[in-house]
Amino acid sequence: MSRITSVLLTILVLLGAMGVQAEVPPVLTLHLAPYFAAGPVIDGKLDDAAWRTAPENSTFYKYWTTAAEATPLRTAFRLGYDAKGLFLGANMYEKEPDKIKATIAQRQDPRLWTDDCAEIYVDSAGSGTGYRKFTINALGTTQTLYRMDMANSDPTWAPEGWQAAAVRDAEGWTFEMYIPWEILGRPAEAGDLWKLCFVRFSWSSGGWAGGGLVTSALGGNYNNPDRFGWLLFLPRDAGGDTNALAQTIAERVPGDWLVSLPDAVV
């Protein structure tokens, strides 16, 4: 994959503008997933060559608000896919790693959110009404939930066959996931547009009051799937034309938006 040259690039995509400039449009987050010819080993460490070909998502917002408030909590994740499923790897930085809260060791424990953890929401239909949620803490303990729509969900949904691992280090903790298409509801192909949101709970970095709860999509949370970011699956020969990426969104998502793209591949 060619280098994506935008570093925290924000592109204004105007759709249906009628001459007079209106108020500033809302922020739309675009996550990019390149194709991995050889995917990483799921061991919790982001040291495989595949991750170096994927754009880094490091722009996060304060949780449970639609105001674009910056957060001091440093978080970064990358995405990729292959013929069988979706990859995600993340760096969960902590200023004081020894304070990481990691106590839940039982899979599917509904209290997992009370540990320092990440919640990954994937809406393969791109409808903004339902999702599949995958949660992991620094011990590698996981929990899943399937929400069909805002009125119906299944907390007992516990699919087998997906992989997840986490590792603590001197900077905090890292984790990796690999989720087969059959668990996500359908396979993705190049050019497909899904919805995705990455939510992080860091109780050791302040929790609600101290900015320790953040989201990758402004306003995105379990109760607002319509505010999830978009996930674009790139073709194998994808280039670094950010204007083309913005145009892809402009053609598929109606309205006026500020499109926030991932950081450069390094």
Side-chain angles (χ1 to χ4, degrees):
M1 174 182 174
S2 298
R3 181 180 299 270
I4 293 178
T5 57
S6 60
V7 180
L8 294 177
L9 176 63
T10 301
I11 300 174
L12 178 60
V13 180
L14 295 176
L15 297 174
M18 302 303 293
V20 178
Q21 185 171 3
E23 61 185 47
V24 177
V27 174
L28 179 149
T29 300
L30 176 60
H31 307 101
L32 305 176
Y35 183 86
F36 287 165
V41 175
I42 306 302
D43 57 8
K45 303 175 184 178
L46 276 68
D47 54 1
D48 298 89
W51 292 126
R52 294 194 290 273
T53 70
E56 181 179 84
N57 302 270
S58 59
T59 300
F60 278 75
Y61 304 94
K62 187 176 180 180
Y63 191 60
W64 212 262
T65 178
T66 57
E69 299 183 38
T71 170
L73 184 62
R74 186 182 172 200
T75 310
F77 70 99
R78 299 171 188 261
L79 295 154
Y81 74 105
D82 65 8
K84 296 182 178 180
L86 177 69
F87 294 92
L88 185 147
N91 294 90
M92 312 285 274
Y93 297 102
E94 290 285 359
K95 292 182 178 179
E96 299 181 85
D98 58 320
K99 293 185 178 181
I100 292 172
K101 185 181 179 185
T103 61
I104 306 298
Q106 180 64 43
R107 182 187 178 199
Q108 290 299 107
D109 190 321
R111 301 171 300 156
L112 189 57
W113 68 275
T114 64
D115 267 356
D116 286 8
C117 68
E119 296 181 340
I120 312 304
Y121 297 82
V122 183
D123 172 10
S124 59
S127 64
T129 57
Y131 53 76
R132 291 165 173 85
K133 183 179 77 168
F134 304 84
T135 305
I136 186 170
N137 70 0
L139 298 176
T141 307
T142 61
Q143 181 198 18
T144 50
L145 178 143
Y146 178 31
R147 173 164 283 186
M148 291 71 79
D149 53 47
M150 297 311 292
N152 299 280
S153 62
D154 180 8
T156 67
W157 182 68
E160 301 291 341
W162 69 291
Q163 302 174 57
V167 174
R168 295 178 65 162
D169 58 30
E171 294 185 301
W173 60 288
T174 61
F175 74 86
E176 294 175 300
M177 291 182 177
Y178 180 65
I179 311 170
W181 299 133
E182 55 265 27
I183 293 176
L184 294 171
R186 69 186 183 94
E189 298 181 357
D192 282 355
L193 201 59
W194 292 11
K195 301 199 82 170
L196 181 141
C197 188
F198 185 119
V199 172
R200 178 182 179 185
F201 290 1
S202 179
W203 306 107
S204 54
S205 287
W208 284 99
L213 275 65
V214 299
T215 177
S216 67
L218 185 61
N221 56 62
Y222 71 89
N223 204 41
N224 290 292
D226 59 318
R227 292 185 177 272
F228 288 176
W230 292 94
L231 167 57
L232 177 62
F233 293 91
L234 299 174
R236 300 190 188 198
D237 58 349
D241 187 348
T242 54
N243 289 309
L245 294 174
Q247 185 61 32
T248 296
I249 294 297
E251 293 171 352
R252 308 270 295 274
V253 184
D256 293 350
W257 300 98
L258 285 169
V259 179
S260 178
L261 294 176
D263 299 357
V265 174
V266 294

